[in-house]
Amino acid sequence: IRHQAPSAVVEHDDAFGASPFLLVTDTGTSAGKLLGYVAKSDWTNHTDKGLRVGDYMAPPPKPVPWNADLNKINEIFESEKSGAVALEKDGEVVDLVVREEVERVKGYPKLVAPATVGADGEFMVGAAVGTREDDKERLEHLVKAGLNVVVLDSSQGNSIYQLEMVKYVKRVYPELDVIGGNVVTMYQAENLIQAGVDGLRVGMGSGSICTTQEVCAVGRGQATAVYKVSSIAYKSGVPVIADGGISNSGHIVKALSLGASTVMMGSFLAGSLEAPGAYVYQNGQRVKKYRGMGSLEAMTKGSDARYLGDTAKLKIAQGVVGAVKDKGSVLNFIPYTLQAVRQGFQDIGANSLQSAHDLLRSRVLRLGGPEWSSTSWKVEFMGLVSYEKKYF
């Protein structure tokens, strides 16, 4: 969370960083006395961006220990009749919690997927790092904090840098799962598997805000990429993540049927209530900003190292900034999506993910069509098996 002095003028939302708040202190630093806070949503609604933050900041909320539970925070909301509390650690405010967040979390369903909980009863956590030398130090701190899986983030995963990083991680942290990528060919996948990866991310240029295929002529149709990579990865027991191009439930069915074990859903989830960022109005529609890590805007925030642009005088964008329409809460549209995927599997005669993969590899499930190798998921299912029994 960032800090500003009361005399500061916030003219761009970059001042908030990734946080929905700004803390206002007398010195403009974390060491100063807390005078109040500014919510990004309030700043967005101000037409006069030339006002000093001290003129419209909210009063300082009551502090609570940073590890206070939701019940304690909710008690303060009820007794103080306030809309926010400040989480304090070692005398410093490290974050804010607003009433709306607590109400939303209280409405979440109970955990029904025990696979997301480790043997210690805690949530399993993943983080992404690069393949530079300083990423090794960052990884050390992440592991000490309880990291369960690390993702090696690269636009082209089959490089000597990632191969060496995979070997380093498996040597120094043998219990830590490593996901490598991104790759799109069997050859690339085989190199990473031999290096020791536990999972693979598949996709180049297939994301909704990625322009790598147009700008650099690098990449592959996502349907073909997932099929080819998974056809060799499964022999080593390495699961595949389909990364990119998922914009509806049908794309999920296609990705899983082609051999993927799971999917990444960037744009699909980007417009949800729970996604990071504040809603804005654009052409009369309520939207959230969604940007590619290869966009110039993201590169100015540090992603340029991923595209080897941190030392380049001329940066080449491989992504764009877009806007995603408000989709409401994931609690509403994810159950609908899950049921649509279940029905898709039922129609192709598969009652589980494993059975779908078995049908594919036994050639009972066949795929084809004129657009088989396209970037999008325009593939046709042929020779389908049908069962009268309703599995779901």
Side-chain angles (χ1 to χ4, degrees):
I1 193 165
R2 297 187 178 181
H3 302 76
Q4 293 284 359
S7 59
V9 175
V10 177
E11 297 181 342
H12 196 276
D13 61 1
D14 283 348
F16 290 84
S19 173
F21 304 103
L22 277 177
L23 294 182
V24 183
T25 62
D26 56 352
T27 62
T29 66
S30 59
K33 180 183 178 182
L34 182 65
L35 302 178
Y37 72 96
V38 174
K40 190 173 183 179
S41 56
D42 293 337
W43 173 85
T44 302
N45 293 331
H46 276 290
T47 55
D48 185 4
K49 295 297 190 285
L51 288 175
R52 300 183 306 168
V53 294
D55 295 334
Y56 58 92
M57 66 180 183
K62 182 173 180 177
V64 298
W66 68 276
N67 55 356
D69 60 25
L70 287 180
N71 291 329
K72 174 65 175 178
I73 294 174
N74 197 51
E75 288 176 7
I76 295 176
F77 283 144
E78 296 301 324
S79 61
E80 300 291 328
K81 302 301 180 183
S82 63
V85 297
L87 302 183
E88 195 173 68
K89 184 177 184 181
D90 299 329
E92 178 184 334
V93 175
V94 294
D95 205 351
L96 297 181
V97 178
V98 297
R99 183 187 293 268
E100 290 78 7
E101 289 179 324
V102 173
E103 293 298 325
R104 188 166 70 243
V105 172
K106 285 167 60 180
Y108 284 173
K110 292 183 178 179
L111 184 67
V112 293
T116 59
V117 176
D120 57 359
E122 300 291 334
F123 283 111
M124 300 186 75
V125 177
V129 300
T131 56
R132 307 293 178 94
E133 279 300 312
D134 55 0
D135 285 302
K136 294 178 180 179
E137 181 181 354
R138 181 166 180 256
L139 179 60
E140 180 184 357
H141 291 293
L142 288 168
V143 171
K144 288 179 179 177
L147 189 69
N148 300 106
V149 57
V150 62
V151 182
L152 300 187
D153 188 30
S154 175
S155 59
Q156 210 289 52
N158 183 39
S159 68
I160 58 174
Y161 307 108
Q162 181 156 152
L163 292 171
E164 291 304 316
M165 189 67 164
V166 171
K167 295 174 183 177
Y168 168 83
V169 175
K170 298 306 292 184
R171 183 177 69 254
V172 179
Y173 310 104
E175 300 302 317
L176 184 65
D177 282 346
V178 181
I179 296 175
N182 280 25
V183 294
V184 293
T185 70
M186 297 169 71
Y187 172 76
Q188 292 175 317
E190 190 171 21
N191 286 340
L192 288 176
I193 291 170
Q194 290 177 355
V197 294
D198 302 290
L200 288 168
R201 270 171 55 203
V202 176
M204 287 185 191
S206 52
S208 63
I209 35 66
C210 184
T211 58
T212 297
Q213 293 189 17
E214 290 82 1
V215 174
C216 300
V218 174
R220 195 177 196 181
Q222 184 68 338
T224 303
V226 171
Y227 175 73
K228 291 292 187 179
V229 171
S230 63
S231 67
I232 189 172
Y234 91 94
K235 296 177 181 179
S236 302
V238 174
V240 164
I241 304 171
D243 177 10
I246 304 294
S247 59
N248 58 53
S249 56
H251 293 154
I252 301 174
V253 175
K254 291 171 183 178
L256 299 178
S257 300
L258 285 163
S261 295
T262 187
V263 297
M264 291 182 70
M265 303 164 65
S267 64
F268 194 95
L269 300 174
S272 67
L273 177 65
E274 290 78 10
Y279 285 111
V280 296
Y281 284 90
Q282 183 173 302
N283 298 326
Q285 292 185 323
R286 195 168 183 246
V287 301
K288 276 189 178 182
K289 183 187 292 185
Y290 177 56
R291 70 188 184 196
M293 294 310 293
S295 65
L296 291 177
E297 180 176 314
M299 285 188 181
T300 62
K301 304 298 181 183
S303 75
D304 50 355
R306 185 180 194 264
Y307 294 86
L308 304 179
D310 52 340
T311 58
K313 294 181 179 178
L314 182 62
K315 298 184 187 299
I316 304 299
Q318 296 183 45
V320 295
V321 178
V324 183
K325 288 195 296 185
D326 177 12
K327 294 183 179 180
S329 173
V330 293
L331 299 180
N332 297 326
F333 70 81
I334 288 298
Y336 172 87
T337 304
L338 289 173
Q339 185 59 27
V341 172
R342 291 188 183 102
Q343 291 186 200
F345 268 52
Q346 176 180 294
D347 288 345
I348 65 175
N351 64 351
S352 67
L353 181 61
Q354 184 59 53
S355 66
H357 291 175
D358 291 342
L359 289 173
L360 178 70
R361 286 158 192 151
S362 64
R363 297 187 180 277
V364 174
L365 175 62
R366 295 181 292 142
L367 304 104
E371 309 239 11
W372 160 252
S373 296
S374 67
T375 300
S376 60
W377 294 96
K378 295 179 181 176
V379 296
E380 299 175 3
F381 289 87
M382 306 180 297
L384 304 182
V385 193
S386 62
Y387 293 111
E388 291 184 2
K389 180 180 178 181
K390 300 294 184 183
Y391 287 105
F392 302 100

